[in-house]
């Protein structure tokens, strides 16, 4: 099995890469190593690459003998990618995680989201569609942010009409683009709507990283709204669901599915922070501010479909997962 993974040195991409290599598949990772979210992001991407090379060296066998990281911007010429694919003869499945993530940053720099989410996806889909070296099978990472305005828990067949940020409308635009490619060009598609992911090497612009950072630096922690809640999902669960999507794509032709990947266990952000205090055995000042107009007040995934189609069973305990996250992050937050 030959997999092409975009955004493979990002937060979630790294955990997906790990599982792919452990499974013994061949893997080409494409990432432009952008410096979104500053210095920790660069440090984490380098650490992730080192870890992946070591996992690959441990797992490689006679039949599983290819892993390469290609530094490439998907909005540019993809000729290099074509050359790279020839080394494994062809790609069976593409997992497209590369994107500009983050709601807040998208309000300031919407053009980066148009470019790296919409244009990059369009170019990749065109490349897949026209290239005989790639099977027409793709997994795409979308987001719970598209659900704004819907009743909890969010279901895949909810009506998507409200967008609080360029991030969410660019992701929904990609979903629609994929639907067109499915209908017109017979592309097989699985769209995973991820719900707030956390874990080791946590993306540094996300709340989990900032909570640990401020706690370790003895700075106050801010929460935007006393009742705000999230369906926090441990990254290993997200990654496993993504890996399992490969089987669903492999075993089906003419498939288009949208699947929530959350925990079905929403918790108030205040309680999440208190659990962080507990695992770190340290407290800091908690300041409640007003709600942000660009943030959803609550998220909660109905994961019935993921359970049925992907054998998804996110049974990790939030406190244990935060302990693992803390052990990892405290090595970097000095
Ligand atoms: N982390 C979450 O909670 C979450 C929630 C919902 C959806 N998602 C989606 O999951 C995916 C992965 O998220 P993440 O948290 O790992 O983000 P991330 O920023 O850590 O990873 C994305 C990676 O894509 C790369 N990239 C961006 N633009 C690129 C381009 N033009 N060409 C090549 N590479 C490019 C970046 O360098 C980065 O390493 C994203 O599509 C994101 O929108 C994440």
């Amino acid at each position: 099995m030959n997999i092409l993974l975009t955004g493979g040195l990002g937060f979630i991409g790294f955990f997906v890469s790990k599982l792919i290599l452990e499974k013994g598949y061949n893997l080409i990772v494409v990432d432009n190593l952008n410096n979104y979210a500053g210095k920790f992001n660069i440090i984490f991407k380098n650490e992730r690459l080192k870890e992946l090379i070591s996992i690959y060296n441990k797992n490689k066998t006679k039949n599983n003998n290819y892993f390469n990281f290609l530094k490439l911007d998907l909005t540019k010429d993809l000729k290099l990618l074509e050359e790279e694919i020839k080394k494994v003869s062809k790609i069976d499945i593409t997992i497209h995680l590369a994107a500009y993530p983050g709601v807040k940053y998208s309000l300031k720099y919407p053009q980066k989201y148009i470019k790296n989410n919409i244009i990059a996806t369009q170019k990749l889909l065109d490349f897949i569609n026209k290239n005989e070296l790639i099977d027409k099978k793709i997994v795409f990472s979308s987001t719970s942010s598209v659900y704004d305005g819907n009743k909890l828990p969010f279901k895949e067949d909810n009506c998507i009409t409200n967008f609080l940020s360029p991030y969410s409308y660019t992701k929904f635009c990609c979903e629609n683009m994929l639907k067109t490619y499915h209908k017109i060009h017979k592309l097989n598609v699985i769209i995973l709507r991820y719900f707030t992911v956390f874990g080791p090497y946590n993306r540094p612009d996300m709340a989990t990283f900032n909570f640990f950072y401020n706690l370790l630096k003895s700075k106050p922690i801010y929460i935007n709204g006393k009742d705000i809640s999230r369906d926090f999902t441990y990254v290993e669960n997200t990654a496993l669901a993504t890996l399992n999507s490969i089987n669903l794509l492999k075993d089906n032709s003419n498939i288009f599915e949208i699947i929530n990947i959350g925990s079905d266990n929403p918790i108030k952000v205040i309680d999440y922070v208190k659990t962080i205090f507990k695992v770190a055995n340290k407290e800091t000042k908690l300041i409640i501010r007003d709600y942000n107009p660009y943030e959803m007040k609550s998220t909660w995934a109905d994961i019935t479909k993921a359970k049925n189609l992907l054998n998804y069973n996110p049974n990790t305990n939030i406190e244990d997962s935060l302990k693992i996250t803390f052990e990892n992050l405290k090595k970097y937050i000095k």
Side-chain angles (χ1 to χ4, degrees):
M1 175 75 75
N2 300 328
I3 313 282
L4 169 65
L5 172 61
T6 74
L9 293 188
F11 169 40
I12 300 170
F14 163 69
F15 286 90
V16 176
S17 299
K18 251 172 96 164
L19 291 179
I20 290 173
L21 291 175
E22 283 162 4
K23 190 95 186 153
Y25 296 155
N26 291 331
L27 174 66
I28 296 172
V29 159
V30 168
D31 199 301
N32 69 349
L33 295 179
N34 71 16
N35 65 356
Y36 167 81
K39 79 167 187 186
F40 284 105
N41 225 350
I42 304 291
I43 295 170
F44 287 176
K45 284 177 195 183
N46 288 328
E47 290 290 273
R48 292 174 189 135
L49 181 57
K50 271 195 255 160
E51 266 201 54
L52 288 182
I53 292 170
S54 133
I55 293 167
Y56 168 64
N57 285 329
K58 266 190 226 143
N59 285 279
K60 73 177 169 193
T61 61
K62 251 188 173 174
N63 300 327
N64 150 39
N65 56 3
Y66 200 81
F67 164 59
N68 201 11
F69 161 59
L70 190 63
K71 184 170 186 286
L72 184 107
D73 188 326
L74 289 169
T75 64
K76 306 241 164 81
D77 187 5
L78 300 184
K79 193 81 204 141
L80 265 182
L81 178 57
E82 199 172 325
E83 294 310 311
E84 180 63 31
I85 293 170
K86 284 180 185 156
K87 296 181 192 163
V88 289
S89 79
K90 71 181 248 302
I91 292 296
D92 299 300
I93 283 166
T94 302
I95 303 176
H96 179 38
L97 306 188
Y100 252 69
V103 163
K104 190 173 175 188
Y105 194 76
S106 78
L107 293 160
K108 202 165 172 198
Y109 299 105
Q111 69 282 7
K112 288 188 197 256
Y113 289 72
I114 304 279
K115 184 175 166 200
N116 292 284
N117 298 357
I118 299 179
I119 295 177
T121 302
Q122 172 69 64
K123 285 200 77 167
L124 181 67
L125 295 189
D126 237 29
F127 179 78
I128 295 173
N129 193 38
K130 292 182 181 148
N131 205 312
E132 307 248 297
L133 296 169
I134 308 197
D135 276 0
K136 291 185 177 184
K137 290 174 187 277
I138 190 167
V139 181
F140 174 74
S141 54
S142 190
T143 166
S144 58
S145 317
V146 299
Y147 281 116
D148 182 58
N150 279 290
K151 238 179 47 209
L152 296 166
F154 299 142
K155 293 199 170 91
E156 291 85 349
D157 59 2
N158 283 164
C159 200
I160 307 295
T161 49
N162 280 358
F163 302 98
L164 296 178
S165 70
Y167 172 61
S168 60
Y169 70 63
T170 56
K171 281 287 172 176
F172 192 60
C173 175
C174 293
E175 288 194 11
N176 289 319
M177 205 189 281
L178 283 153
K179 197 165 205 171
T180 305
Y181 271 80
H182 169 70
K183 285 196 181 292
I184 306 298
H185 302 296
K186 312 274 176 271
L187 184 69
N188 290 287
V189 179
I190 294 178
I191 293 171
L192 301 177
R193 288 184 180 151
Y194 296 151
F195 284 64
T196 318
V197 185
F198 73 96
Y201 300 125
N202 206 104
R203 218 178 68 222
D205 61 311
M206 295 186 73
T208 299
F209 181 93
N210 284 309
F211 293 156
F212 277 115
Y213 184 90
N214 285 12
L215 177 64
L216 287 166
K217 297 273 185 190
S218 300
K219 292 180 174 177
I221 285 177
Y222 297 93
I223 296 178
N224 303 317
K226 69 174 175 14
D227 289 329
I228 196 162
S229 68
R230 287 290 176 270
D231 201 13
F232 288 102
T233 310
Y234 187 51
V235 68
E236 287 190 356
N237 294 323
T238 313
L240 191 56
T242 310
L243 182 83
N244 289 353
S245 306
I246 293 176
N247 291 333
L248 188 60
L249 271 179
K250 205 174 63 185
D251 300 340
N252 286 284
S253 53
N254 194 21
I255 181 170
F256 180 92
E257 294 290 353
I258 298 176
I259 309 173
N260 285 341
I261 306 298
S263 290
D264 187 19
N265 182 27
I267 67 168
K268 279 193 183 180
V269 176
I270 290 187
D271 295 331
Y272 185 72
V273 172
K274 286 180 183 159
T275 313
I276 285 179
F277 289 169
K278 189 173 166 202
V279 306
N281 196 20
K282 186 174 181 208
E283 293 197 8
T284 190
K285 198 168 176 192
L286 238 176
I287 299 173
I288 312 292
R289 300 191 289 207
D290 286 344
Y291 292 106
N292 271 327
Y294 54 80
E295 275 178 353
M296 289 158 83
K297 287 195 177 152
S298 301
T299 65
W300 176 6
D302 181 308
I303 55 170
T304 314
K305 204 170 167 186
K307 283 183 172 168
N308 291 339
L309 294 181
L310 301 176
N311 213 2
Y312 178 65
N313 181 24
N315 55 4
T316 47
N317 166 298
I318 202 151
E319 191 175 322
D320 293 343
S321 310
L322 280 172
K323 264 186 209 151
I324 301 169
T325 307
F326 174 61
E327 290 306 318
N328 166 266
L329 292 182
K330 75 177 184 196
K331 287 191 260 172
Y332 299 95
I333 303 171
K334 300 267 190 249

